[in-house]
Amino acid sequence: MPEEKQSATEGLERRNHELSVLNATARELNRSVRLDEALEFTLSQVAELLELETGWIWLLDEPSGEPYLAATRNLPPGLASDPRRMDGSSYCYCLDTYRRGDLDGAANVNVLACSRLADLVGGTGGLRYHASIPLYAGPKKLGVMNLASPGWRSLSGEELRLLYTIGDLLAIAIERSRLFDRSAHLGMMEERNRLAREIHDTIAQTLSATVLQLESAEALLEEDPCSPRAREALGRALSLTRQNLQEARRSVQDLRAAPLEGRPLAQALRVLVDRWEEESGVAARLKTVNGASPLPPRVEVALYRICQEALSNVARHARADRATVRLTVTPERALLSVEDDGVGFDPCRIPEGHYGITGMRERAASVGGTLEIESASGRGTTVRAGVPLKEG
């Protein structure tokens, strides 16, 4: 019959299309070692295949197990304009269900009401429900992929199986990307230790020898006190050399045990802020959004050092009663701000010799970011650093 033949033809064409998308997804995920590329490509392929235009992916941070937003596609305005609604630490029914193990197995790719959209009056783009695809590497939980569309429809058994297969491919790509990042991190640690040994064997050794020579010269001058100016000059040289030796040793220690070693940026900032509060006597607090989200090592170090310098400036110059550090991470951007309620200053009239602000700008620029300073006399100061996390 013509209708049956047409239906069979359409079914075959749909099946061929699904297989072509699956093959393209497998090729791309097998090629890429960059996690952000793998996640975004998968969202785009699934959206094209099932006409589910909106999606996002949660991953669980390996050290802490905390969820963070790793990728998004066409978020509705109510979620896109307020990163706090997409913070992994806020309540989420699908994530909580997944972490309890209730989304286990191919039988479900479940359809759930979205708790993040439930209390929004506007800005939802008509979204209320999404499919949740669990991501596993064997028994290990990796995260959840959510897919949504305003005109929600039930997914067929074939579509559910296809989503689960894509979830398996994505899980493999996630694990491979993380293994690649770990190997790169080990290489960085080896290089840092090599530099530490090099500094110790060159600069520190040379300065130690210089100190010995100067101490000998000082001892000889004690026998001939006829040259007080030489004694004073040698004393100053000895003091400066000892300071330089101490600085070289501090640099070696920084290289061997960086403050971020083994901790994500949010945890390192927590330690920094707590220690700074104790040392400065100024009340301080840290606020994070998606703080568990891992960042490239160079970005983490740059933002940490910017925060360190900004807090140091608050302690030295601001005469503040309170300081607040904020870290907000989205799949597109990392934002750090340090705000105080101190005396403020004119950012356009920075005295010569104050290199801290220049150093912060250079650190932000070194990772493709920008640094802005907002301040006025009597109105406190806010330092904002923003770093893009996507190329181009």
Side-chain angles (χ1 to χ4, degrees):
M1 297 173 61
E3 290 185 2
E4 292 178 352
K5 186 175 181 179
Q6 182 179 357
S7 177
T9 301
E10 291 175 352
L12 182 60
E13 289 176 349
R14 183 174 62 253
R15 185 59 177 164
N16 286 338
H17 178 60
E18 291 174 354
L19 289 174
S20 68
V21 170
L22 190 59
N23 287 334
T25 303
R27 284 197 304 270
E28 177 65 21
L29 295 183
N30 187 57
R31 180 195 66 81
S32 178
V33 294
R34 285 191 51 182
L35 184 56
D36 58 342
E37 289 181 351
L39 299 178
E40 290 174 9
F41 180 82
T42 303
L43 280 177
S44 67
Q45 289 294 94
V46 173
E48 188 274 336
L49 179 64
L50 301 181
E51 299 179 353
L52 302 174
E53 60 191 52
T54 297
W56 56 88
I57 296 176
W58 300 101
L59 292 182
L60 302 184
D61 177 57
E62 286 192 286
S64 67
E66 292 300 312
Y68 66 91
L69 186 65
T72 64
R73 177 182 172 84
N74 296 331
L75 286 182
L79 297 181
S81 63
D82 188 356
R84 292 173 299 177
R85 285 190 173 273
M86 297 300 285
D87 181 13
S89 64
S90 60
Y91 174 73
C92 176
Y93 178 75
C94 67
L95 275 177
D96 289 349
T97 304
Y98 168 72
R99 295 171 78 183
R100 290 196 305 267
D102 294 344
L103 287 180
D104 193 14
N108 248 317
V109 185
N110 285 325
V111 177
L112 304 168
C114 181
S115 55
R116 297 178 187 276
L117 294 164
D119 60 345
L120 281 176
V121 176
T124 66
L127 300 179
R128 285 297 174 193
Y129 299 89
H130 58 61
S132 291
I133 297 92
L135 305 175
Y136 293 95
K140 179 181 177 183
K141 293 183 176 71
L142 299 180
V144 176
M145 178 165 57
N146 294 141
L147 298 163
S149 179
W152 185 259
R153 60 179 175 81
S154 299
L155 298 176
S156 68
E158 287 185 356
E159 288 173 328
L160 292 177
R161 285 191 292 273
L162 183 63
L163 281 177
Y164 190 72
T165 300
I166 291 176
D168 279 348
L169 292 173
L170 180 57
I172 294 170
I174 292 169
E175 284 291 86
R176 188 177 66 254
S177 176
R178 286 177 169 175
L179 286 172
F180 181 84
D181 288 344
R182 280 196 289 269
S183 67
H185 181 65
L186 288 174
M188 290 176 59
M189 291 177 61
E190 291 175 0
E191 176 65 9
R192 188 170 65 228
N193 288 335
R194 184 193 67 79
L195 289 171
R197 290 193 299 270
E198 186 174 301
I199 291 175
H200 178 268
D201 293 341
T202 56
I203 298 174
Q205 295 286 8
T206 301
L207 288 174
S208 295
T210 303
V211 168
L212 289 175
Q213 294 295 325
L214 289 172
E215 287 175 342
S216 297
E218 188 176 42
L220 291 172
L221 282 173
E222 288 181 357
E223 299 177 2
D224 181 10
C226 297
S227 180
R229 294 181 63 186
R231 178 188 288 272
E232 291 174 2
L234 283 173
R236 286 195 298 271
L238 180 61
S239 175
L240 288 172
T241 305
R242 282 175 174 155
Q243 291 175 22
N244 287 336
L245 177 60
Q246 183 179 8
E247 178 64 21
R249 285 174 173 158
R250 185 195 64 77
S251 297
V252 170
Q253 181 62 30
D254 284 348
L255 284 170
R256 287 195 183 277
L260 285 160
E261 191 69 43
R263 292 178 294 200
L265 177 60
Q267 289 183 16
L269 289 178
R270 167 58 60 199
V271 174
L272 173 64
V273 168
D274 289 347
R275 185 174 65 241
W276 181 85
E277 181 180 44
E278 182 178 353
E279 294 173 353
S280 68
V282 178
R285 57 182 175 177
L286 172 68
K287 296 183 176 181
T288 65
V289 175
N290 274 319
S293 180
L295 298 172
R298 292 178 65 248
V299 173
E300 288 192 323
V301 171
L303 292 179
Y304 180 90
R305 293 303 187 192
I306 289 170
C307 183
Q308 195 174 42
E309 179 63 30
L311 287 175
S312 177
N313 288 340
V314 174
R316 289 198 304 265
H317 307 299
R319 302 201 295 274
D321 295 320
R322 180 178 294 277
T324 302
V325 177
R326 291 183 173 87
L327 174 67
T328 300
V329 182
T330 68
E332 295 79 22
R333 195 168 180 82
L335 300 169
L336 173 78
S337 69
V338 180
E339 180 181 354
D340 69 70
D341 62 354
V343 296
F345 68 100
D346 183 354
C348 298
R349 301 179 62 182
I350 301 172
E352 292 185 6
H354 287 242
Y355 303 112
I357 292 177
T358 300
M360 288 190 290
R361 292 192 193 280
E362 290 175 350
R363 283 194 181 275
S366 71
V367 289
T370 58
L371 186 122
E372 299 176 354
I373 298 175
E374 180 182 322
S375 185
S377 180
R379 296 186 179 181
T381 300
T382 301
V383 175
R384 296 186 183 91
V387 179
L389 300 179
K390 292 183 178 180
E391 296 181 356

